[in-house]
Amino acid sequence: MKLLPKVVDTVLNGNVFATRVLSGAKRWMGERIKCPVKYAKNTTGGAFSGFDTFATSATDNRVNLEYVPKFYKITVALPLDELSANQTEQRVLDLASLELQSASQDMADEIGTLFYGNGTSKEFLGLGALIDDGTNAATIGGLSRTTYPTLKSTVTASSGVLTLAKMSTLYSAITSGAQKPTMGLCSESVFNIYEALLQANERIVKEVPFGKGEYVSGTGFTGLYFKGFPILSDEKATAETLFFVNEDFIDWYALPVAMTEAVKYKAVDIKGNDYSSVMGLGFSWSGWIKPTNSASIVSHIYLGGELTTSNPKRHGKLTGITS
């Protein structure tokens, strides 16, 4: 029997947003991430002449968004008898390495779902919380969106029907000068609805790189453009929703778990999914642990950090899209 040199993944699906975010991870610093935001104008300015008296009181127009780290793990366990049988001259795959690659990809796949959620005290924040007007997430970064209304994103009910006019209205609501969306995200169903709105000569398909870095020809996601930025189909995306995201104000801050080593590999033994084109992804590994009561080895893969936004106002979404 011949074992093929690649494992073909028939399970994992597309994970566009998480792949881009994790590929552009920033290093966590300190006990928490603090993002100073301006929520009001300084109103002490004005014309004067002669000996007019100036205001000397300070103005309070800044506050800090604060994010605390959260953690996620997945377990990899292998029996020693299986490892022993794998140690032959005819082996093609290193079983332990393969399992680590596979588990990391499974973990990234699960995190992709979380990155569209509302977040909990333990789970990472997702776009459901970052891009919200207070309906799903009353607070963001520890601050009330009622007290600080500039922390609200624009959320518009599409009432079933998606139109280019509704998309343009959302675009205008979150755009000021050069501050504009860099990416649209939606389910495959909504992506197909958007494509149907375009004339044949407007359906210009381009490749969008996996991460925020330099574009690599021949690798990337397929995007249909709207006002200069790509609309991307993500199988993890919230149903019936079209997100407009300004990636300048969304970051993944990664915090390595203490007493672990970084997972640094390119998944060369698995094909059939997008993860094989991404180096790393920011995970850390416990190393192999030998239990005292079984002939096996166990290890844990970790991901620590938080998905953050420093300016929720620059994001928006259309909801309830069915046709």
Side-chain angles (χ1 to χ4, degrees):
M1 181 179 70
K2 179 180 180 182
L3 183 62
L4 296 178
K6 294 280 186 180
V7 172
V8 179
D9 180 3
T10 64
V11 178
L12 302 183
N13 295 318
N15 199 358
V16 175
F17 178 60
T19 301
R20 283 179 66 84
V21 167
L22 293 175
S23 296
K26 295 184 177 179
R27 179 169 289 277
W28 191 283
M29 302 293 289
E31 294 184 357
R32 58 187 63 206
I33 297 295
K34 293 185 178 182
C35 303
V37 295
K38 181 177 178 179
Y39 68 90
K41 292 175 60 176
N42 184 327
T43 58
T44 62
F48 73 95
S49 65
F51 290 97
D52 286 353
T53 302
F54 298 162
T56 58
S57 59
T59 58
D60 183 11
N61 56 12
R62 290 191 305 276
V63 69
N64 288 330
L65 289 166
E66 296 188 5
Y67 298 96
V68 297
K70 298 172 184 175
F71 300 91
Y72 198 91
K73 64 87 181 174
I74 197 167
T75 300
V76 181
L78 291 168
L80 292 183
D81 57 351
E82 188 173 345
L83 281 173
S84 299
N86 189 245
Q87 301 299 316
T88 66
E89 293 182 0
Q90 294 182 359
R91 80 165 188 255
V92 179
L93 299 177
D94 183 306
L95 184 59
S97 174
L98 173 63
E99 284 298 319
L100 287 173
Q101 293 179 36
S102 179
S104 294
Q105 294 182 5
D106 291 345
M107 184 172 166
D109 191 69
E110 294 170 3
I111 290 167
T113 300
L114 296 180
F115 276 3
Y116 279 98
N118 297 329
T120 66
S121 59
K122 292 184 179 181
E123 294 178 345
F124 301 129
L125 291 173
L127 293 185
L130 303 186
I131 305 180
D132 191 60
D133 58 2
T135 302
N136 298 317
T139 63
I140 186 68
L143 299 178
S144 167
R145 281 176 155 138
T146 300
T147 304
Y148 303 100
T150 59
L151 300 181
K152 294 182 179 181
S153 305
T154 300
V155 179
T156 305
S158 188
S159 301
V161 180
L162 178 67
T163 67
L164 294 176
K166 291 176 182 178
M167 293 174 65
S168 293
T169 299
L170 177 61
Y171 175 88
S172 297
I174 64 176
T175 298
S176 293
Q179 306 303 317
K180 54 190 176 184
T182 60
M183 177 175 63
L185 293 166
C186 60
S187 67
E188 292 174 306
S189 176
V190 173
F191 184 85
N192 292 336
I193 292 172
Y194 170 61
E195 183 179 24
L197 294 176
L198 302 177
Q199 300 293 328
N201 63 337
E202 296 175 320
R203 296 174 185 171
I204 301 173
V205 178
K206 296 183 180 180
E207 284 190 339
V208 180
F210 286 111
K212 298 181 184 180
E214 294 295 325
Y215 177 78
V216 179
S217 178
T219 62
F221 305 113
T222 300
L224 284 169
Y225 277 65
F226 177 77
K227 293 187 182 294
F229 66 93
I231 306 296
L232 299 174
S233 170
D234 190 346
E235 291 169 87
K236 298 294 184 181
T238 306
E240 301 181 0
T241 304
L242 173 59
F243 294 93
F244 281 1
V245 180
N246 188 326
E247 294 174 282
D248 292 336
F249 301 112
I250 283 190
D251 291 294
W252 166 256
Y253 283 92
L255 177 61
V257 175
M259 301 178 68
T260 64
E261 57 185 276
V263 175
K264 296 180 180 179
Y265 65 84
K266 188 177 181 68
V268 296
D269 293 330
I270 303 173
K271 67 178 182 178
N273 61 44
D274 291 334
Y275 306 109
S276 59
S277 297
V278 180
M279 182 74 75
L281 288 180
F283 300 119
S284 56
W285 180 51
S286 66
W288 292 112
I289 304 166
K290 295 181 179 180
T292 59
N293 60 350
S294 69
S296 64
I297 53 174
V298 178
S299 69
H300 307 288
I301 301 171
Y302 306 102
L303 185 67
E306 182 61 295
L307 186 64
T308 71
T309 181
S310 56
N311 196 350
K313 179 182 177 180
R314 294 304 175 198
H315 317 299
K317 62 185 176 184
L318 289 170
T319 63
I321 300 170
T322 57
S323 64

